[in-house]
């Protein structure tokens, strides 16, 4: 395992212990609104603190950007860790056992290492650029689906951007009539990890942040998949609008949803 991936795994497992302990007594979890339909808890913050401490102990000069504490400037800005300490906070607060820690390392703007860790199931998804993707050290691959018929897709509702709801519902309908089913589980990091593992055939969502998708991007690509924006391009990090899955399936998704989306979603 690459030394930097090893540190990412250690950080994710450390955060997972904090999350697991807290999940046993949710009455002690303090939740607050940090934005419209956007929860944050003391556990999100505690988990991010532990991740940052673990990384900086080994790589004190690296930069970090996280969902809760923003940007930490490092002396060596070529190395940027992108972290979501608890992706699926609403699930966590409600006691729904489906959430994950997401950690990625960008080197000169390109994701080189990735970890998505599900502490409930003790499932560790990892990837290093050019080395493939693994689940608990076993190689994973995206599904072989080349068309929408018979597929199960994952998605997330635009709950923070409800002004896009009409366009999203049109896209949902355009896809749903062709698929076997569509799931909405509440953690984009796990959705993308599940695509990488072939559990879900594809995934699409509006308005995600870099910390939601950075680790999942590398997992999917290293598992033989593709990641695009809604126009089939590579602007998903800027727009937050993302599709992933086997290459031909991604193309099929783009073909179905492009005609029903607004111009702002195709940028």
């Amino acid at each position: 395992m690459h030394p930097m991936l090893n540190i990412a795994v250690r950080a994710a497992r450390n955060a997972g212990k904090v999350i697991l302990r807290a999940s046993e007594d949710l009455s002690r979890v303090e939740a607050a609104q940090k934005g419209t339909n956007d929860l944050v808890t003391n556990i999100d913050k505690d988990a991010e603190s532990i991740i940052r401490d673990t990384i900086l102990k080994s790589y004190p000069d690296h930069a970090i950007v996280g969902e809760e504490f923003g940007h930490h400037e490092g002396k060596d800005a070529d190395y940027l860790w992108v972290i979501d300490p608890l992706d699926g906070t609403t699930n966590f607060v409600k006691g729904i056992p489906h959430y994950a820690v997401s950690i990625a390392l960008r080197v000169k703007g390109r994701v080189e290492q990735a970890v998505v860790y599900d502490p409930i199931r003790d499932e560790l998804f990892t990837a290093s650029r050019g080395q493939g993707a693994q689940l608990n050290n076993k190689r994973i691959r995206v599904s072989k689906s080349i068309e929408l018929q018979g597929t199960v897709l994952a998605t997330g509702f635009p709950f923070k951007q409800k002004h896009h709801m009409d366009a999203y519902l049109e896209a949902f309908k355009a896809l749903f009539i062709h698929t076997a089913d569509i799931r909405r589980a509440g953690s984009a990091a796990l959705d993308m990890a599940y695509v990488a593992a072939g559990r879900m055939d594809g995934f699409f969502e509006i308005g995600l942040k870099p910390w939601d998708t950075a680790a999942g991007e590398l997992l999917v690509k290293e598992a033989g998949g593709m990641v695009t924006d809604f126009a089939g391009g590579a602007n998903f990090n800027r727009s937050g609008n993302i599709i992933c899955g086997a290459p031909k399936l991604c193309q099929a998704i783009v073909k179905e949803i492009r005609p029903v989306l607004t111009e702002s979603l195709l940028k």
Side-chain angles (χ1 to χ4, degrees), residues 7-241:
I7 294 303
V9 168
R10 185 184 303 170
R13 288 196 181 278
N14 288 346
K17 289 174 187 174
V18 170
I19 294 165
L20 269 182
R21 278 199 302 270
S23 72
E24 293 169 2
D25 185 4
L26 290 174
S27 66
R28 296 190 177 185
V29 174
E30 301 164 12
Q33 291 274 353
K34 64 178 179 180
T36 304
N37 300 317
D38 196 4
L39 288 174
V40 62
T41 72
N42 54 318
I43 306 306
D44 294 72
K45 294 177 179 178
D46 290 349
E48 184 164 323
S49 292
I50 281 177
I51 293 168
R52 286 173 179 255
D53 289 348
T54 304
I55 291 168
L56 292 174
K57 197 172 186 180
S58 294
Y59 301 107
D61 293 339
H62 287 191
I64 297 175
V65 63
E67 180 171 13
E68 307 310 335
F69 295 126
H71 202 280
H72 164 82
E73 297 286 349
K75 290 180 183 176
D76 191 346
D78 284 347
Y79 292 84
L80 175 65
W81 296 83
V82 185
I83 57 180
D84 190 339
L86 178 49
D87 187 60
T89 300
T90 300
N91 281 352
F92 172 74
V93 169
K94 294 292 185 181
I96 300 168
H98 190 78
Y99 35 81
V101 180
S102 177
I103 303 174
L105 173 63
R106 292 188 191 278
V107 181
K108 296 182 179 179
R110 193 167 76 164
V111 183
E112 295 285 341
Q113 312 294 336
V115 173
V116 172
Y117 179 54
D118 176 350
I120 295 292
R121 299 172 184 85
D122 193 27
E123 290 192 329
L124 182 74
F125 300 85
T126 57
S128 293
R129 180 171 292 279
Q131 301 298 314
Q134 294 81 32
L135 165 55
N136 292 345
N137 296 317
K138 292 184 179 178
R139 185 71 181 265
I140 53 176
R141 299 289 293 176
V142 297
S143 81
K144 295 178 180 178
S145 300
I146 60 173
E147 57 184 22
L148 283 164
Q149 279 71 21
T151 59
V152 176
L153 303 182
T155 190
F157 304 137
F159 62 97
K160 296 179 189 176
Q161 300 184 336
K162 291 189 175 177
H163 57 288
H164 287 312
M165 185 54 91
D166 287 345
Y168 170 81
L169 289 175
E170 289 302 314
F172 186 100
K173 285 192 291 184
L175 295 171
F176 186 68
I177 58 172
H178 298 294
T179 63
D181 210 345
I182 297 180
R183 303 271 187 268
R184 192 277 193 267
S187 169
L190 280 177
D191 285 337
M192 295 183 76
Y194 280 21
V195 170
R199 293 175 176 175
M200 294 288 180
D201 295 294
F203 167 69
F204 68 102
E205 189 165 345
I206 289 172
L208 291 172
K209 299 294 186 183
W211 46 77
D212 296 319
T213 60
E217 174 192 344
L218 187 63
L219 284 170
V220 170
K221 288 179 177 178
E222 287 297 319
M226 176 186 280
V227 185
T228 77
D229 58 28
F230 288 173
N235 196 42
F236 51 89
N237 280 320
R238 192 164 295 165
S239 70
N241 305 324

